[in-house]
């Protein structure tokens, strides 16, 4: 049973890992590596791959208590005490951080395999106005399938509306 009492553990067990080249490209895209936020972190699959590269505030956010309990165990196992886990809806992150006295904005924000849960324009505006540092990067990513290769086609200049760049990838059968 994927859901139910074991939902967090099952998520950790059955969700694929993010490939190292994704992690490497994400880190290379960020010139300043101080503060990092992973929105809808789940059990922290991406969070714990990127967090050692950041020296300041590192936050994993999710609304699922079950998934964050698995993330908390992973945090201890990986000895990543500098990571904080915040349980709340993604649109309440700023308020939740403010109540903890965390006022910083983020150099890197990732939303991995979760953007489809949000209303895109609202979420992008919220991230830009409330969470992302002026020179920060927002990376939205998903999984790719084994047996396929991922080729970068285009990286945009920041859009006029939101000052956010995007990348277009093509998934090709190997």
């Amino acid at each position: 049973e994927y859901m139910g009492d074991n939902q967090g553990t099952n998520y950790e067990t059955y969700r694929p890992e993010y490939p190292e080249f994704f992690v490497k490209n994400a880190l290379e895209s960020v010139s300043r590596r101080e503060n990092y936020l992973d929105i809808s972190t789940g059990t922290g699959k991406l969070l714990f791959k990127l967090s050692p590269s950041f020296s300041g505030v590192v936050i994993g956010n999710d609304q699922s208590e079950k998934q964050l309990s698995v993330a908390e165990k992973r945090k201890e196992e990986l000895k990543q005490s500098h990571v904080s886990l915040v349980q709340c809806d993604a649109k309440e992150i700023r308020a939740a951080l403010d109540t903890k006295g965390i006022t910083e904005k983020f150099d890197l924000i990732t939303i991995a395999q979760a953007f489809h849960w949000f209303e895109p324009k609202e979420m992008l505006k919220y991230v830009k106005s409330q969470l992302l540092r002026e020179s920060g990067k927002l990376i939205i990513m998903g999984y790719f399938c084994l047996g396929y290769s991922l080729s970068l086609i285009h990286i945009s200049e920041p859009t006029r509306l939101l000052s956010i760049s995007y990348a277009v990838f093509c998934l090709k059968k190997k």
Side-chain angles (χ1 to χ4, degrees):
E1 175 182 333
Y2 182 74
M3 301 308 269
D5 291 340
N6 296 325
Q7 189 265 344
T9 305
N10 289 340
Y11 184 96
E12 176 64 18
T13 301
Y14 298 111
R15 285 287 182 148
E17 295 293 328
Y18 291 94
E20 286 305 314
F21 78 88
F22 248 27
V23 173
K24 182 177 179 251
N25 287 340
L27 290 172
E28 287 175 355
S29 75
V30 181
S31 58
R32 180 177 172 167
R33 293 186 191 168
E34 188 176 341
N35 303 325
Y36 168 49
L37 169 64
D38 187 28
I39 296 175
S40 297
T41 197
T43 59
K45 283 197 174 274
L46 183 61
L47 172 69
F48 295 118
K49 286 186 176 230
L50 291 168
S51 61
S53 298
F54 290 83
S55 62
V57 174
V58 177
I59 306 284
N61 150 262
D62 206 282
Q63 62 183 6
S64 169
E65 181 180 349
K66 291 175 183 174
Q67 292 197 36
L68 287 180
S69 70
V70 174
E72 187 64 44
K73 289 176 189 164
R74 291 192 67 215
K75 172 184 152 178
E76 292 170 17
E77 289 168 6
L78 297 168
K79 297 179 176 29
Q80 292 196 23
S81 59
H82 67 293
V83 173
S84 296
L85 299 169
V86 176
Q87 183 183 357
C88 68
D89 184 273
K91 290 177 261 168
E92 298 168 1
I93 294 170
R94 179 79 275 151
L97 295 178
D98 287 347
T99 62
K100 294 177 181 291
I102 301 169
T103 58
E104 288 83 358
K105 288 197 172 186
F106 297 90
D107 303 300
L108 176 63
I109 298 175
T110 53
I111 304 174
Q113 197 56 27
F115 194 66
H116 60 279
W117 293 112
F118 305 118
E119 193 291 306
K121 257 188 186 173
E122 261 182 45
M123 190 61 177
L124 292 172
K125 284 181 182 178
Y126 174 71
V127 165
K128 183 175 188 279
S129 67
Q130 300 296 312
L131 302 170
L132 194 63
R133 183 172 276 154
E134 184 72 29
S135 62
K137 300 280 184 182
L138 168 63
I139 298 177
I140 300 169
M141 57 179 79
Y143 297 119
F144 73 99
C145 301
L146 294 177
Y148 289 82
S149 65
L150 197 61
S151 303
L152 178 64
I153 296 173
H154 173 75
I155 297 180
S156 77
E157 291 299 317
T159 61
R160 279 188 222 131
L161 175 64
L162 297 170
S163 299
I164 293 176
S165 298
Y166 64 89
V168 178
F169 292 91
C170 178
L171 194 61
K172 296 180 184 177
K173 184 101 172 136
K174 284 184 179 177

